[in-house]
Amino acid sequence: MKLLTTSGLFAADGGAGEPAYALTAASRLLVGPLGLGSIVRYQAGPVNVTPFFDMPAWLRATDGPQQSLFELTHGRSRWDPANPDSSTMQDAAFAESQFLIDALLRNHGHIFHGLTSLVDVGGGHGSLARAIAAMFPSIRCTVMDLAHVVADAPAIAGGNVQFVAGNMFESIPSADAVLLKYVLHCWSDDDCVKILRNCKNAIPSTRAAGGKVIITVMVSGSGSRDGNASETEQMHSLFVTGIGGIGREEQEWKKIFCDAGFSDYKMTQDMGPVSVIEIFP
């Protein structure tokens, strides 16, 4: 406990007698109904951490197709269901969604006004889509993810949420809007352009008709410039680099949107290090 007080995870009462420990802002994120402990277990687990010990060999590699650091160590992509921490990754994704739901719908609910259909690409087991459908019953929500993810999704009786198996690099079901929650930072620039072009093909061709893509992602350099924010951004960039992704600044995101054929975007940054971006055809 004394060690954890030095890192700010707990506070200690310095009075006489036995010390009394209390939660801090950091440790409150790990407990309770919105606890993020499963994300810590996933990010700090051996499957995620071990590849960084192979970074010298990865940086020296000059021949052949460039594989991710994760692939170099494990011989498979981060998204392969054969990874031994696949269930831990799903638990982390669920916790992350629960944490995002309240902030997104409370602060940005207006971005869903007027929509009649929405596709949540890479939506996992559909916790965010179900929350959107509950708040906006007029929106028909489709959750698209890989077949093995959809197969494990909990059954939903009735309602306006459905699951479909698919590959975002091939095609995306048609809808008024496409939602990409924490997806694009996991991929290269070229892959992001491919994904967004498929999104563009799935939505109405004009902003006036309601067509847009909604993205939640970390935008480097866009938020508070305090030490905690900078450290979070750099740690995020390091981990996504390990799986073949990239941490990007706003101008880098803007170039990707333009290369994918979008004409305009609107970025709102009021959820800590996470931004909400609407991009329009």
Side-chain angles (χ1 to χ4, degrees):
M1 292 298 296
K2 288 181 178 179
L3 171 63
L4 293 174
T5 61
T6 64
S7 62
L9 279 175
F10 289 94
D13 182 353
E18 290 294 323
Y21 296 98
L23 296 175
T24 63
S27 50
R28 286 191 186 96
L29 292 174
L30 302 177
V31 299
L34 295 180
L36 302 181
S38 58
I39 295 179
V40 175
R41 285 190 290 274
Y42 164 67
Q43 293 284 24
V47 176
N48 257 345
V49 173
T50 302
F52 291 101
F53 292 97
D54 292 329
M55 185 170 277
W58 181 68
L59 292 172
R60 292 191 188 101
T62 57
D63 57 336
Q66 183 67 52
Q67 60 183 341
S68 72
L69 180 57
F70 189 95
E71 291 169 323
L72 174 68
T73 299
H74 297 296
R76 60 175 71 93
S77 80
R78 171 72 270 189
W79 318 113
D80 192 317
N83 285 316
D85 67 342
S86 285
S87 61
T88 305
M89 181 167 66
Q90 286 299 327
D91 291 342
F94 176 78
E96 195 171 47
S97 290
Q98 294 300 112
F99 192 75
L100 176 70
I101 284 169
D102 181 62
L104 181 63
L105 296 185
R106 183 181 68 246
N107 298 330
H108 301 279
H110 62 278
I111 66 178
F112 302 104
H113 290 168
L115 299 178
T116 61
S117 57
L118 178 142
V119 179
D120 184 1
V121 175
H125 291 172
S127 37
L128 179 54
R130 280 180 281 177
I132 294 170
M135 180 170 284
F136 302 97
S138 61
I139 301 179
R140 185 179 70 258
C141 294
T142 299
V143 179
M144 191 188 90
D145 214 315
L146 297 174
H148 71 274
V149 177
V150 170
D152 290 336
I156 300 176
N160 53 343
V161 177
Q162 64 175 344
F163 290 86
V164 298
N167 186 328
M168 62 188 174
F169 290 103
E170 297 173 358
S171 65
I172 293 169
S174 297
D176 290 345
V178 174
L179 175 63
L180 296 167
K181 174 181 64 67
Y182 301 149
V183 171
L184 294 181
H185 61 247
C186 298
W187 301 95
S188 69
D189 290 357
D190 289 344
D191 285 337
C192 286
V193 170
K194 291 176 185 177
I195 295 167
L196 288 174
R197 283 177 178 166
N198 287 336
C199 292
K200 189 171 182 289
N201 290 335
I203 62 175
S205 59
T206 66
R207 179 174 180 175
K212 63 180 173 180
V213 179
I214 303 166
I215 301 169
T216 63
V217 72
M218 187 176 294
V219 179
S220 298
S222 64
S224 167
R225 293 298 83 215
D226 63 44
N228 288 335
S230 296
E231 182 181 13
T232 299
E233 289 178 0
Q234 296 309 316
M235 288 296 293
H236 171 267
S237 293
L238 178 65
F239 272 94
V240 297
T241 297
I243 61 174
I246 302 173
R248 300 178 177 93
E249 297 182 356
E250 181 176 353
Q251 290 304 309
E252 294 170 305
W253 284 116
K254 180 180 179 180
K255 183 179 186 303
I256 288 173
F257 303 154
C258 291
D259 290 347
F262 289 85
S263 63
D264 195 13
Y265 74 96
K266 176 183 178 183
M267 186 178 82
T268 306
Q269 207 286 330
D270 64 357
M271 297 199 306
V274 177
S275 294
V276 178
I277 307 175
E278 299 167 84
I279 60 175
F280 307 99

